[in-house]
Amino acid sequence: MSDGALEPGTALPPVRGLADQLGVSPGTVATAYKELRRRGIVVTRGRGGTVVAAAPSVAARRPPKVPAGLRDLAGGHPDPELLPHLVPPSRLSPGARSHRSTPRLARLEDAVRDWLGPDGVPTDHVTFAHGALDLIGRLLSVELRPGDAVAMEDPGYHHLLDLVTALGLRTVPVAVDDEGMLPEALRSALRTGVRAVVCSPRAQNPYGGCFSTERRDALVEVLQEEPDVLVVENDHASAVADAPLRTLTMGDLGRWVHVRTVSKFLGTDLRWAAAACDPTTLARHDGRLLLTSGWVSHLLQETVYGLMTDDGTRALVARAQETYGLRRVALVRELAGRGIETHGVSGMNLWVPVRDESAVVNGLRSYGWWVAAGARFRLASGPGVRISVADLEPADAVRLASDFAAVLGESEATYGG
């Protein structure tokens, strides 16, 4: 397999058949197959048998470069005008010393508990990381082994999809709607033996879904059937999601973590995340962190603490939340007025189902707009495009919706209606 003689997807012989062929016991072959699975070289697909695994990607599928002169609605970044100015703390760490014994600032821990607690997230155990992807990647690498399966939203955040693949794990798609993961789709995924579930409670990227109370309760009921499955709740937009949090963590789950970053409302260069979790997850995450970077920079922690507790910054974040909501609703309204279906009840993205992604992306390009083709967000779901509305003024939404309708008309005329 290492020399490429067996390509990805090639089926291996049944255990007993290979044992007879080699003149060894079935137990010997079964042990060898188990080791290959542990190393991520092969995967087992139930009745589909054992097959050679695809080589994991080690890089994210980066979006194409925005062509010159186009209005970028593909990046998903916050509006720079709605971010605070980043000022390094005046009190720097004295000298060269290790913070391994006290990796987290106590006052920032208290601020995190004040931030998460009112939303119903249990805060007995909190920790920090260098962003949500850093934390999720560390947990999946500690908790799972190559070849294990992770239930993922479909469509979902492309960097997370790429991360799971890069770790040698298998993605199991779970369909979403405007209220998040579909309970029956999640139950079907769990029946395949997934070891972890990664989901967003609001501002789901790219679909814009948000858990309702009823949906949250239904998902908790499903997850309680599998108490050993790690549930990762990624609340990436939190303060600017323009929607209440209905967290799964209130559901007395066995293994869980709720993670929040600040990049969407304090600054994309603040690579910091806070997480609340069960005690086992805390110990495993922090144990691995201790062996790698050791701690999150105290300078970074001081900066985050200063911004989180600053009244001016809080007012700016509140204005950002309101502004993003108005911009999203304005585009939804304009598109709906032209008969165009959209999804996006929270956050700063819209998902627009289309028949031909390339035709729509290229068509809008001719009108001066650049939107994201949905292919890199999808596993098994239908085609669509993602539009980021973070800096799209309501007045611009009128022109974009008109151009979008024109592009759809041209596409239908070209491809047969």
Side-chain angles (χ1 to χ4, degrees):
M1 284 177 278
S2 62
D3 62 6
L6 296 180
E7 296 181 352
T10 301
L12 300 188
V15 169
R16 289 190 178 278
L18 185 57
D20 290 343
Q21 180 182 341
L22 298 177
V24 299
S25 73
T28 299
V29 175
T31 299
Y33 278 18
K34 181 178 180 181
E35 179 64 16
L36 290 172
R37 284 195 299 272
R38 187 186 70 80
R39 297 187 182 190
I41 298 173
V42 302
V43 295
T44 299
R45 295 178 176 172
R47 294 181 180 177
T50 300
V51 302
V52 178
S57 168
V58 294
R61 295 167 291 175
R62 295 192 177 276
K65 186 177 181 180
V66 181
L70 298 189
R71 180 74 178 276
D72 182 13
L73 302 179
H77 305 301
D79 185 344
E81 296 299 320
L82 296 172
L83 296 175
H85 296 294
L86 299 183
V87 180
S90 58
R91 185 162 51 82
L92 303 181
S93 297
R97 60 191 178 90
S98 173
H99 294 299
R100 292 179 186 272
S101 59
T102 55
R104 295 184 292 275
L105 297 179
R107 56 186 173 278
L108 184 53
E109 280 191 331
D110 292 340
V112 165
R113 290 188 168 93
D114 292 341
W115 185 25
L116 303 181
D119 286 332
V121 179
T123 58
D124 291 339
H125 307 282
V126 299
T127 190
F128 303 157
H130 301 95
L133 289 173
D134 174 67
L135 179 135
I136 295 171
R138 185 175 297 111
L139 281 176
L140 293 181
S141 65
V142 170
E143 299 281 348
L144 279 64
R145 294 291 178 267
D148 286 345
V150 182
M152 306 288 292
E153 295 164 328
D154 183 26
Y157 181 38
H158 61 98
H159 285 309
L160 271 175
L161 297 176
D162 292 340
L163 173 63
V164 169
T165 301
L167 292 173
L169 306 172
R170 293 185 293 114
T171 55
V172 177
V174 179
V176 301
D177 64 10
D178 291 333
E179 297 181 47
M181 280 185 165
L182 299 176
E184 283 308 312
L186 177 59
R187 178 174 279 113
S188 296
L190 290 172
R191 285 172 178 164
T192 69
V194 301
R195 296 283 310 282
V197 176
V198 182
C199 61
S200 300
R202 51 184 172 178
Q204 195 270 349
N205 187 1
Y207 211 81
C210 173
F211 289 166
S212 64
T213 301
E214 294 76 12
R215 177 61 57 82
R216 186 270 314 278
D217 293 345
L219 291 173
V220 166
E221 182 177 348
V222 172
L223 291 167
Q224 286 177 337
E225 298 171 5
E226 301 288 346
D228 294 329
V229 170
L230 175 66
V231 179
V232 180
E233 188 172 70
N234 181 19
D235 192 19
H236 67 98
S238 61
V240 290
D242 187 36
L245 176 69
R246 300 178 181 95
T247 177
L248 300 172
T249 65
M250 297 176 65
D252 193 28
L253 302 177
R255 299 294 312 284
W256 61 272
V257 58
H258 175 94
V259 56
R260 289 186 186 179
T261 60
V262 296
S263 59
K264 295 297 184 186
F265 54 92
L266 294 185
T268 54
D269 206 33
L270 285 178
R271 310 311 298 166
W272 177 86
C277 48
D278 67 87
T280 299
T281 299
L282 177 80
R284 291 179 177 174
H285 173 272
D286 285 6
R288 179 60 61 88
L289 179 66
L290 184 66
L291 293 172
T292 53
S293 57
W295 66 88
V296 175
S297 163
H298 279 207
L299 297 181
L300 179 58
Q301 292 186 49
E302 290 277 12
T303 302
V304 172
Y305 176 78
L307 291 170
M308 289 182 68
T309 56
D310 176 69
D311 290 339
T313 300
R314 287 173 171 170
L316 180 61
V317 171
R319 181 160 69 88
Q321 179 194 77
E322 179 182 8
T323 301
Y324 293 144
L326 291 173
R327 292 173 179 176
R328 186 188 69 253
V329 170
L331 183 56
V332 169
R333 181 176 60 246
E334 294 298 333
L335 290 170
R338 292 161 176 80
I340 300 173
E341 176 191 3
T342 62
H343 299 278
V345 298
S346 61
M348 56 182 70
N349 296 308
L350 291 185
W351 180 261
V352 186
V354 298
R355 186 173 57 182
D356 189 300
E357 294 177 0
S358 296
V360 171
V361 170
N362 290 326
L364 286 174
R365 176 178 181 174
S366 69
Y367 284 89
W369 306 102
W370 187 247
V371 301
R376 72 179 188 271
F377 302 95
R378 300 188 287 111
L379 293 171
S381 56
V385 296
R386 189 191 74 170
I387 304 175
S388 296
V389 301
D391 62 352
L392 186 72
E393 296 288 352
D396 296 328
V398 177
R399 182 168 68 89
L400 173 58
S402 178
D403 293 342
F404 205 115
V407 167
L408 290 182
E410 295 165 1
S411 175
E412 289 181 357
T414 302
Y415 294 101

